[in-house]
């Protein structure tokens, strides 16, 4: 298991949790945000050890911005807050699922989720959507 890639970003994450994480080469793990009561997948963000620590201890989702190279707390600027209900590590210990109560839009575009705008396949059985669309999907 890899440790945080940047030692200049110290973390308060409990060592027993940090030891379990399987991070990418950049020290990050994907974090899927899901609406706790409906199961709706809202967004994907990235966390390092400190972002996960802040998420676990503050009750608000904190992510690491790969483009800005800084932490951001979801909703601090937009008001579209994610109140953390639970956090789970997946079976491979390389992804976290954060179940949240989303206030407002989850996506920076203003959509409810980051997966609303570009539906590639609506129904694999072909029951709805573009006829033949399911056949064009490479499985």
């Amino acid at each position: 298991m890899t440790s945080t890639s940047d030692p200049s970003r110290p973390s308060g994450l409990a060592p027993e949790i940090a030891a379990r994480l399987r991070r990418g080469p950049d020290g990050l793990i994907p974090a899927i945000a899901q609406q706790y009561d409906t199961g709706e997948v809202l967004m994907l963000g990235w966390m390092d050890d400190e972002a996960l620590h802040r998420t676990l201890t503050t009750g608000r989702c904190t992510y690491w911005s790969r483009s800005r190279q800084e932490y951001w707390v979801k909703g601090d600027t937009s008001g579209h807050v994610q109140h953390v209900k639970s956090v789970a590590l997946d079976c491979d210990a390389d992804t976290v699922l954060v179940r949240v109560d989303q206030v407002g839009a989850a996506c920076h575009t203003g959509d409810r989720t980051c997966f609303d705008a570009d539906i590639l396949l609506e129904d694999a059985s072909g029951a709805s959507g573009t006829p033949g669309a399911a056949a064009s999907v490479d499985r």
Side-chain angles (χ1 to χ4, degrees):
M1 294 188 210
T2 351
S3 63
T4 305
S5 65
D6 185 352
S8 67
R9 292 194 326 243
S11 172
L13 186 64
E16 61 273 13
I17 296 173
R20 296 172 59 198
L21 299 178
R22 294 182 55 187
R23 302 163 193 80
D26 55 6
L28 301 174
I29 58 172
I32 301 165
Q34 179 183 41
Q35 179 63 34
Y36 83 100
D37 54 352
T38 66
E40 180 180 34
V41 176
L42 300 169
M43 62 173 279
L44 171 76
W46 296 93
M47 292 185 179
D48 65 359
D49 288 22
E50 181 59 17
L52 181 56
H53 168 69
R54 293 179 189 188
T55 298
L56 292 169
T57 58
T58 66
R60 298 263 316 274
C61 279
T62 301
Y63 299 99
W64 176 255
S65 170
R66 296 179 302 167
S67 59
R68 296 188 312 266
Q69 294 290 294
E70 66 184 17
Y71 296 104
W72 58 281
V73 179
K74 182 69 176 163
D76 272 2
T77 303
S78 65
H80 299 160
V81 177
Q82 291 177 339
H83 298 284
V84 176
K85 297 294 185 176
S86 68
V87 180
L89 190 58
D90 81 330
C91 59
D92 295 320
D94 63 0
T95 304
V96 293
L97 176 64
V98 186
R99 299 192 63 196
V100 301
D101 188 9
Q102 177 71 47
V103 176
C107 188
H108 70 280
T109 64
D111 285 339
R112 169 73 181 161
T113 86
C114 293
F115 302 100
D116 285 345
D118 196 3
I119 307 299
L120 301 178
L121 178 65
E122 188 69 35
D123 182 350
S125 70
S128 66
T130 306
S136 67
V137 175
D138 184 15
R139 294 193 189 260

